[in-house]
Amino acid sequence: EIVLTQSPGTLSLSPGERATLSCRSSQSVSSSYLAWYQQKPGQAPRLLIYGASSRATGIPDRFSGSGSGTDFTLTISRLEPEDFAVYYCQQYGSSPPALTFGGGTKVEIK
Amino acid sequence: QVQLQESGPGLLKPSETLSLTCTVSGGSISNFYWSWVRQPAGKGPEWIGRIYSSGSTNYNTSLKSQITMSVDTSKNQFSLRLTSVTAADTAVYYCARGYSYGYYYMDVWGKGITVTVSS
């Protein structure tokens, strides 16, 4: 079973700063099957990035994803007030088909 | 615009069976995977399993013995059945659409339904 480890657990930053979130996998993951989600309190997760680096429909270009193999990164170039939330990475493995989520990174206002 | 809505009981007793339904509106249930994801309070999401519109299923191996998923294309609905629930099954349960053409991600989510297991 693939385990995704996200770091840091909490990131304390100010609006306008850059946020860099890490997602490391216990095994190599196909980039096509790595996604990032944003979740705010009381809401469902919202798809941000799929295929490791493609932005979902309507996602601002301050969000970007990168990485391959076992190391993936979500970057928010300049934090807006609405970006303070919890972020999860998720991978899909095909043998057998299964999805796993990372433990999440909370981006909080400093 | 596709929307998903979960429905079902919010409170169960230990050992009972949880039955949830997700209704898909604004689009067809055909040719997509449909997942259930749950999230205990203060924790990350956990994938429960998925069903394709044809009825083919894949389940989380840790829950496999408890889970049955089904789909009713005539009603544009899919369902989750979780047997022998315990307090550990208390969570917000979400249904979500899975996009599987060259990638795999969940792009449309329901608002979630809170399920509490308590005697």
Side-chain angles (χ1 to χ4, degrees), chain A residues 37 39 43-44 47 50 92, chain B residues 39 50 94 102-103 105-106 110:
Chain A
Y37 300 83
Q39 188 176 33
Q43 296 184 16
L47 177 68
Y50 65 92
Y92 167 75
Chain B
Q39 187 171 28
R50 68 177 186 177
Y94 297 100
Y103 303 94
Y105 52 84
M106 292 177 283

Side-chain angles (χ1 to χ4, degrees), chain A residues 1 31-35 37 39 42-47 49-51 54 88 90 92 96-103, chain B residues 33 35 37 39 42-47 50 58-61 94 99-100 102-112:
Chain A
E1 177 189 335
S31 296
S32 297
Y33 296 150
L34 194 288
Y37 300 83
Q39 188 176 33
Q43 296 184 16
R46 172 195 180 200
L47 177 68
I49 300 286
Y50 65 92
S54 297
Y88 295 99
Q90 171 247 299
Y92 167 75
L99 281 81
T100 53
F101 289 88
Chain B
Y33 281 100
S35 277
V37 175
Q39 187 171 28
K43 296 188 177 181
E46 177 186 33
W47 178 72
R50 68 177 186 177
N58 302 113
Y59 299 149
N60 184 324
T61 54
Y94 297 100
Y99 183 91
S100 61
Y103 303 94
Y104 195 89
Y105 52 84
M106 292 177 283
D107 62 343
V108 182
W109 292 67
K111 288 181 167 34

Side-chain angles (χ1 to χ4, degrees), chain A residues 4 7 9 15 17 21-22 27 30 35-36 41 49 51 53 61 64 71-72 75-76 93-94 99 103 106 108 110:
Chain A
L4 298 178
S7 61
E17 290 194 294
L21 288 66
S22 172
Q27 300 175 36
S30 168
W36 289 91
I49 300 286
S53 61
D61 61 6
S64 63
D71 290 314
F72 297 89
T75 301
I76 311 170
S94 56
L99 281 81
K106 181 180 182 180
E108 65 176 22
K110 186 174 181 179

